[in-house]
Amino acid sequence: MAVILVPKPPKEAMNPDRPISTLLRAQLLHLHEVEKNLPSRLRTKTYVHAIKTERQAADYIRQVTENVFKAHGGDAPAKRKRRAKKPPAPAAPSDQGGSQAQGEAEPGAGPEVSRNP
Amino acid sequence: MPAGLDHLKHIVVLMMENRSFDHMLGALKARDPRIDGLTGNETNPDTQGEPAKAQPLAEFQSQLDPDPDHHFPAVDLQIFNEDNSNPRVASMQGFVKSYFNQQRDVNHSHKIMYYFPPEKLPVLTTLATEFAVFNRWFASIPGPTVCNRAFAHYGTSFGQVSMDIFYVKEPYKSIYERMIASPPHTAKIYYYDQASSTIEIVNLLQNQPQLFATYDQFLVDCKQGTLPDYSFVEPNYTDHDTGSGEELASDQHPDHNVQAGEVFIASVYNAIKQNDDLWQSTALLIAYDEHGGIFDHVVPPACMPDGFKASPNDTLTGREFDFDRLGVRVPAVLVSPWVPKGTVVDGRVFEHASIPNTVTKYFLGDYNPRSPREANSETFLDLLSLDVMRTDCPDFNVG
């Protein structure tokens, strides 16, 4: 059977400071609407219209998603911890981006994966 | 019943973002003329009346920036090119004009016609040629993401044609609710991680977070053989940092890197294929939610009205929309070792409502109520037609 080589994207493909798209803007607004229904202790009090970059958006998305799970009495599904690359040279690119790491990862090889609530 | 259907226990759908059929797979026509792609002679007029030609010059990133408009009025322009005759004539001649509206740069507007040569997309084009590629899989609505993904979850968008919040209306239920209400059937939405989350927020995540798991859990479930009957996988929608590194968006939404999406598709495929039992009992559908404003040459056909109407204030075109025409064509590929190599699905029209229809019919049989669009949509499991499972399927090595 054929083995197809899949090139990794370059490191410079990563740009969390990219301005958010209309899709992410909509996702933020939908999450903001959901946040209004959460108990006050689980609201972030974030002004979503001030969110401009993907990094900022991701941070807000993570907080509200986790709070939705908390409101239902559970924790959000945990992110698997990655194995450290070796050698861990600080100046070397330690990670070429999440999707590449997915491609390299053996399914289920990582430790400490919590089950879905 | 073909042996493939006898073995089928799992359906997995991976829905990517915002690329048209011709943009991703159109070049395959040169390899296989049965694939309804590009001849190289396709054009759209630019705002100066000059023809902008479809060319194999698509780049992985930084080319479609700003993000091409794909809201309802823009898609209307792309399809009808401002035609106001009665009845209106769909020509697929308004893509360049539409993209010009965003940057007012004639040369830049031509880039909406660019497509990928197959060698730049080794994962998607390999899967398309090794398994089944659909010549006629369309977005459900000539509009943006939220309303189109709704059709994959509910078989309808409940009248929504935009990115705004929609609310589920009785009597229609999501495919996940249908499944879990019929034990022992199971279903799950795997979003990438908390910082990417899901697009299906207001109706499902808010009220039923137990339906969701992360992509890491998908990998575990594949390895352990604990995948639910039906799985819907969402890619990573954002470039973001985590405590352990950087996560690169894999949804292929412009201006995210297309290669990252290729790696993600390969990851999903590999996770299934590396478990022998799962591989022989799973059908994987890879589909794109909508075309993202990018050129495609096939006119979207009329379809069964949805029972909902969008007002002129909703469509922003001055016209009502009866959900009686599909959106622009998108890439769709069905993967299974029970699909004959090189299958080209032609002469049948599919849309995202085909997803809940297929899953429902296979796992639940006769089920009502369903939207008119879903009830009348095509299903795709007949493509698992082999009596003997293939052993020649490719592997992907992320290098």
Side-chain angles (χ1 to χ4, degrees):
Chain A
M1 69 188 71
V3 178
I4 310 297
L5 182 65
V6 184
K8 292 179 179 178
K11 186 166 178 59
E12 56 268 26
M14 180 81 184
N15 180 17
D17 294 320
R18 179 187 299 112
I20 60 173
S21 64
T22 55
L23 172 60
L24 289 178
R25 173 64 63 198
Q27 193 183 16
L28 295 177
L29 294 175
H30 292 204
L31 285 165
H32 183 58
E33 193 65 24
V34 165
E35 200 177 11
K36 294 175 184 174
N37 298 325
L38 294 176
S40 58
R41 65 184 169 80
L42 294 176
R43 294 179 196 163
T44 66
K45 301 177 177 60
T46 301
Y47 180 59
V48 293
H49 296 285
I51 294 174
K52 302 297 183 191
T53 69
E54 291 195 12
R55 176 186 280 113
Q56 295 168 342
D59 188 50
Y60 177 75
I61 292 166
R62 177 187 54 75
Q63 289 182 62
V64 179
T65 300
E66 290 176 350
N67 288 342
V68 167
F69 279 89
K70 287 176 184 171
H72 283 263
D75 290 328
K79 178 79 181 157
R80 182 174 53 185
K81 291 180 180 176
R82 294 198 186 152
R83 290 170 290 191
K85 302 250 179 174
K86 54 182 183 180
S94 61
D95 192 333
Q96 288 273 316
S99 297
Q100 299 151 15
Q102 297 151 21
E104 294 169 337
E106 294 177 28
E112 300 175 24
V113 177
S114 69
R115 300 296 301 180
N116 190 49
Chain B
M1 180 182 289
L5 284 182
D6 282 341
H7 286 83
L8 186 67
K9 296 177 183 173
H10 309 279
I11 299 174
V12 177
V13 171
L14 167 60
M15 186 160 275
M16 305 293 285
E17 277 286 314
N18 289 36
R19 303 277 168 172
S20 74
F21 182 99
D22 280 342
H23 179 67
M24 302 294 272
L25 298 176
L28 289 176
K29 183 179 178 70
R31 293 185 182 178
D32 184 344
R34 297 175 302 154
I35 296 175
D36 191 0
L38 297 162
T39 63
N41 297 320
E42 294 79 6
T43 63
N44 257 206
D46 67 21
T47 53
Q48 298 182 334
E50 295 298 318
K53 191 175 178 182
Q55 298 183 74
L57 301 175
E59 296 173 0
F60 296 127
Q61 199 165 20
S62 305
Q63 188 174 60
L64 296 176
D65 188 12
D67 177 26
D69 194 350
H70 45 281
H71 289 80
F72 198 93
V75 183
D76 189 80
L77 169 59
Q78 291 156 17
I79 294 172
F80 290 100
N81 193 26
E82 301 176 319
D83 179 73
N84 286 312
S85 58
N86 189 12
R88 302 172 78 202
V89 177
S91 62
M92 312 306 279
Q93 289 291 298
F95 287 86
V96 175
K97 289 179 186 171
S98 174
Y99 200 33
F100 174 83
N101 287 340
Q102 290 181 257
Q103 195 158 299
R104 319 298 291 181
D105 179 329
V106 173
N107 288 334
H108 184 74
S109 69
H110 287 208
K111 295 180 179 178
I112 208 69
M113 301 295 291
Y114 291 174
Y115 61 94
F116 285 100
E119 59 271 20
K120 292 188 81 169
L121 304 178
V123 178
L124 190 64
T125 59
T126 295
L127 295 176
T129 53
E130 285 284 337
F131 298 97
V133 61
F134 293 81
N135 268 347
R136 292 289 184 276
W137 191 299
F138 295 86
S140 294
I141 292 179
T145 287
V146 170
C147 53
N148 271 299
R149 284 182 176 259
F151 272 81
H153 300 306
Y154 302 95
T156 177
S157 67
F158 304 96
Q160 182 61 270
V161 293
S162 75
M163 299 290 278
D164 292 343
I165 291 169
F166 67 89
Y167 292 98
V168 170
K169 297 181 176 73
E170 292 291 342
Y172 305 129
K173 295 189 182 305
S174 74
I175 182 60
Y176 318 97
E177 293 164 292
R178 299 176 206 174
M179 292 288 282
I180 64 174
S182 305
H185 293 300
T186 52
K188 200 164 283 296
I189 300 175
Y190 293 93
Y191 58 62
Y192 183 73
D193 65 8
Q194 278 71 252
S196 177
S197 195
T198 177
I199 305 299
E200 187 36 56
I201 296 163
V202 174
N203 295 297
L204 291 183
L205 180 67
Q206 174 175 226
N207 299 314
Q208 299 179 81
Q210 73 276 9
L211 291 174
F212 291 83
T214 63
Y215 185 66
D216 279 344
Q217 187 63 51
F218 176 81
L219 297 177
V220 172
D221 288 342
C222 286
K223 186 176 179 69
Q224 296 181 343
T226 53
L227 211 59
D229 296 347
Y230 177 56
S231 304
F232 185 88
V233 179
E234 297 188 68
N236 178 13
Y237 299 114
T238 59
D239 285 1
H240 60 270
D241 304 309
T242 68
S244 55
E246 295 177 334
E247 301 287 358
L248 189 60
S250 55
D251 60 354
Q252 297 183 329
H253 189 298
D255 187 39
H256 291 154
N257 188 279
V258 172
Q259 279 185 308
E262 282 268 292
V263 172
F264 189 68
I265 296 169
S267 168
V268 172
Y269 174 90
N270 284 347
I272 295 169
K273 190 167 185 292
Q274 287 168 3
N275 179 330
D276 289 341
D277 290 339
L278 189 62
W279 175 239
Q280 66 177 283
S281 61
T282 300
L284 166 64
L285 178 77
I286 301 152
Y288 287 67
D289 65 342
E290 36 98 354
H291 74 302
I294 305 171
F295 173 72
D296 191 87
H297 80 280
V298 174
V299 172
C303 65
M304 167 68 68
D306 193 30
F308 293 96
K309 290 184 185 299
S311 73
N313 285 339
D314 293 326
T315 65
L316 302 175
T317 62
R319 295 180 176 83
E320 191 176 75
F321 181 60
D322 294 336
F323 295 83
D324 54 359
R325 178 183 289 276
L326 297 177
V328 175
R329 194 172 58 139
V330 291
V333 175
L334 183 67
V335 174
S336 159
W338 302 94
V339 171
K341 179 174 180 167
T343 298
V344 178
V345 188
D346 202 14
R348 299 163 63 185
V349 173
F350 296 80
E351 55 139 324
H352 301 330
S354 298
I355 294 170
N357 191 19
T358 299
V359 175
T360 298
K361 281 189 173 175
Y362 184 72
F363 289 113
L364 304 178
D366 292 332
Y367 176 94
N368 275 305
R370 290 189 290 163
S371 73
R373 282 279 288 273
E374 180 185 332
N376 285 278
S377 64
E378 283 269 5
T379 63
F380 50 80
L381 292 179
D382 59 295
L383 300 172
L384 280 64
S385 60
L386 293 176
D387 290 324
V388 178
M389 192 179 90
R390 288 171 54 187
T391 58
D392 63 343
C393 302
D395 289 316
F396 294 112
N397 179 16
V398 179

